[in-house]
Amino acid sequence: MLILGIDNGLTVTKAVIFDATGRVLATARRRVAQVMPQPRHVERDMEDLWRQTAAAVAEAIAACGRPARDIVAVAATAHGDGLYLLDRAGAPLGPGILSLDSRAGGIADAWAADGTAAHALARTGQMPHASAPSAILAWLRDHDPARFAAIGHVLACKDWLTYRLTGRIGTDLTEASTAFTDVATQGFAPDIPGIFGLPGLPLPDIALPDQVVGHVTPDAAALTGLAMGTPVVAGLHDVTASALGSGGYGQGCVAIVAGTYSINETVTDRPLSDPRWFCRNGIARGEWNAMSISPASAANYDWFLDSLCREGGDQPAHLRVIPEIEAALARPSSALFHPYLFGSPHGAQASAGFFGLRGWQDRGDMLRAVIEGIAFNHRHHVDALRDGFAPKAARLTGGISRAPVFAQLFADVLDMPVTVSATEEAAAWGAALCAGAGVGLFASPRHDPRDIGAISTTHHPDPARAADMARRYAVFTDIAAAMAPLWPRIEALQDIP
């Protein structure tokens, strides 16, 4: 028996076919173009997303060497937040809006100033932010009233894919909690949209992530190669799927995803709200997932490689620079970096910057500063979660986690054990666990058939390096505090001809 997990990120959509032991049989990827029609707007064509996803599914089925009828269930996961709207006829209502979109930053700032955000925190367990559905919808209400008036359904990214597979309009427990659920009851409450000036908002039905919500339609079967009638479960938010698929979903552990976003999350059996994290729904009722996040992680490293490490060679850049980083970590350095190229935990106006650079330092010192800055930003979030939930260990996923030097750096910066598993496609496997549980292949999404311990490596902090990283982190945070009044002035420079 096979399971299909669909994982849609911000630039790539993937289809991964697993067997019942968690072994990957086939993976197919398609890029999905981002469109930025004006500053702060990050969008994509919803129909193109579906076409590319369907093509990836068809390619994976063709590559796996097994007939499509062997796939017993399907589930999708995708980026959270952002907005995917349908009109009243069920057609896309404009482009999908990604979680990198920041057009509604001014609205989120105004809500923080006038008390709306505090009210939302008390009711929903989270402060609204620029890419929250609440803020984007309020922006559409104010700036595109015709589109706002035509809204028939409010969905997230993976809900759109599930709709195209099954014809079912709805969401799941984890995705529902991005803006409009009561933090205590975990369900939609009629008064909450009104907090944001959105009364009467049409909200979708909520299913559990492992609940079968439909079956592959004839049209979807024709495009994807899936067998018509294959069960489809509701799926889940991708950062929750990553924690589940990597073995990091549970109390006492902080699951870290170092990707475009700095994702740091831990499971709790009580809804505890704080401005420093989102208190969102877990994969089952009576569970919450505390997420402390910002768009300031490994995308900064990718930018540096793309911009300053393009000399070519037989090895890809991310492998070629490892010796430079290791050499830089072995010597003292004054160089520090704020990884705020695409956002920060300090507001939309914070920007990236190197500090402490000297003429005798080289590219390796800059690379070290970049990856330390990424780890320091994760520590900013992990420290918040330690205040509320006291996790004792971390599980790291994301592209940079594959390099032992980076995993060890995280252990030293966080001063806690950091485990990395050899999991292929953690988010897709998290979705597949839900799919398998939905059809009885697994007792629940938590019943991972793999021996997680056997495929994992734990990196323990070195006491001397942890102490050194603590000193560097203190300077890193003090610089951020000192820069707070300067960031708006720097931002204003782009308006000067």
Side-chain angles (χ1 to χ4, degrees):
M1 290 185 286
L2 308 181
I3 323 162
L4 171 64
I6 296 170
D7 176 19
N8 178 255
L10 295 168
T11 58
V12 174
T13 188
K14 292 182 284 189
V16 187
I17 297 176
F18 303 89
D19 67 15
T21 70
R23 183 168 60 100
V24 174
L25 299 186
T27 302
R29 297 171 173 82
R30 289 288 189 281
R31 291 195 66 82
V32 183
Q34 292 182 1
V35 180
M36 289 173 269
Q38 54 185 295
R40 298 190 179 277
H41 292 230
V42 187
E43 305 173 340
R44 61 182 172 194
D45 183 275
M46 290 172 62
E47 290 291 359
D48 182 59
L49 167 60
W50 166 239
R51 286 193 297 269
Q52 299 304 332
T53 301
V57 172
E59 180 182 334
I61 292 172
C64 81
R66 301 271 291 276
R69 64 178 177 275
D70 286 357
I71 297 173
V72 297
V74 180
T77 186
H79 77 83
D81 296 292
L83 200 62
Y84 290 72
L85 298 174
L86 305 181
D87 64 19
R88 293 179 181 86
L93 184 59
I97 299 174
L98 277 68
S99 58
L100 292 175
D101 193 281
S102 60
R103 73 185 72 181
I107 288 174
D109 291 344
W111 285 345
D114 68 13
T116 300
H119 189 190
L121 177 65
R123 291 290 287 118
T124 70
Q126 56 200 305
M127 302 278 281
H129 55 100
S131 64
S134 54
I136 298 172
L137 285 162
W139 189 93
L140 292 174
R141 177 201 62 204
D142 297 342
H143 297 275
D144 195 349
R147 184 179 176 189
F148 181 81
I151 293 173
H153 306 280
V154 177
L155 299 179
C157 180
K158 70 105 175 61
D159 302 328
W160 161 245
L161 298 177
T162 302
Y163 169 58
R164 292 309 305 262
L165 285 167
T166 66
R168 180 254 186 184
I169 293 174
T171 191
D172 84 289
L173 190 66
T174 65
E175 208 82 72
S177 62
T178 55
F180 303 114
T181 52
D182 182 307
V183 69
T185 68
Q186 301 184 287
F188 291 132
D191 66 297
I192 290 177
I195 295 172
F196 309 106
L198 304 167
L201 191 69
L203 296 173
D205 293 335
I206 301 174
L208 294 176
D210 59 343
Q211 181 178 337
V212 175
V213 295
H215 298 82
V216 172
T217 65
D219 287 346
L223 282 173
T224 63
L226 287 163
M228 185 176 62
T230 303
V232 180
V233 307
L236 70 172
H237 185 190
D238 67 348
V239 298
T240 308
S242 292
L244 184 64
S246 67
Y249 183 87
Q251 297 185 52
C253 176
V254 57
I256 297 172
V257 183
T260 303
Y261 268 71
S262 171
I263 304 292
N264 312 271
E265 53 188 325
T266 192
V267 176
T268 173
D269 60 3
R270 58 193 174 96
L272 180 62
S273 299
D274 189 285
R276 295 174 294 170
W277 61 75
F278 301 148
C279 187
R280 293 185 170 176
N281 294 338
I283 63 173
R285 296 195 180 277
E287 291 181 353
W288 288 261
N289 201 357
M291 302 179 185
S292 190
I293 71 174
S294 63
S297 188
N300 289 264
Y301 181 64
D302 294 338
W303 168 84
F304 192 99
L305 295 181
D306 291 342
S307 301
L308 299 172
C309 305
R310 296 188 296 180
E311 62 267 25
D314 295 334
Q315 283 186 310
H318 71 276
L319 295 177
R320 192 170 61 248
V321 301
I322 293 295
E324 295 180 47
I325 296 170
E326 291 175 332
L329 284 166
R331 60 181 179 255
S333 175
S334 59
L336 296 167
F337 177 72
H338 281 158
Y340 307 149
L341 286 169
F342 305 101
S344 86
H346 307 293
Q349 291 187 316
S351 51
F354 283 99
F355 301 88
L357 281 177
R358 295 292 191 174
W360 52 85
Q361 293 171 329
D362 61 18
R363 187 174 72 176
D365 296 289
M366 297 177 74
L367 281 160
R368 168 186 171 169
V370 169
I371 64 167
E372 281 185 357
I374 292 165
F376 288 156
N377 191 61
H378 278 274
R379 175 170 172 173
H380 172 87
H381 294 296
V382 171
D383 281 353
L385 295 176
R386 284 195 270 215
D387 286 347
F389 308 98
K392 302 301 183 185
R395 187 167 285 269
L396 175 66
T397 61
I400 66 173
S401 69
R402 299 187 186 98
V405 65
F406 295 161
Q408 183 61 49
L409 178 68
F410 269 74
D412 294 332
V413 167
L414 299 177
D415 197 15
M416 64 164 42
V418 171
T419 299
V420 179
S421 78
T423 300
E424 294 184 70
E425 307 294 354
W429 177 237
L433 284 168
C434 290
V439 295
L441 189 59
F442 311 128
S444 80
R446 290 182 188 78
H447 285 74
D448 193 319
R450 303 170 304 166
D451 183 345
I452 292 292
I455 61 172
S456 298
T457 302
T458 298
H459 300 262
H460 295 276
D462 175 88
R465 290 185 63 185
D468 180 53
M469 289 300 166
R471 289 190 293 270
R472 296 176 67 80
Y473 176 68
V475 178
F476 173 92
T477 55
D478 286 347
I479 293 172
M483 287 297 297
L486 297 177
W487 279 323
R489 294 173 60 189
I490 294 171
E491 182 80 359
L493 294 176
Q494 67 182 347
D495 300 325
I496 299 174

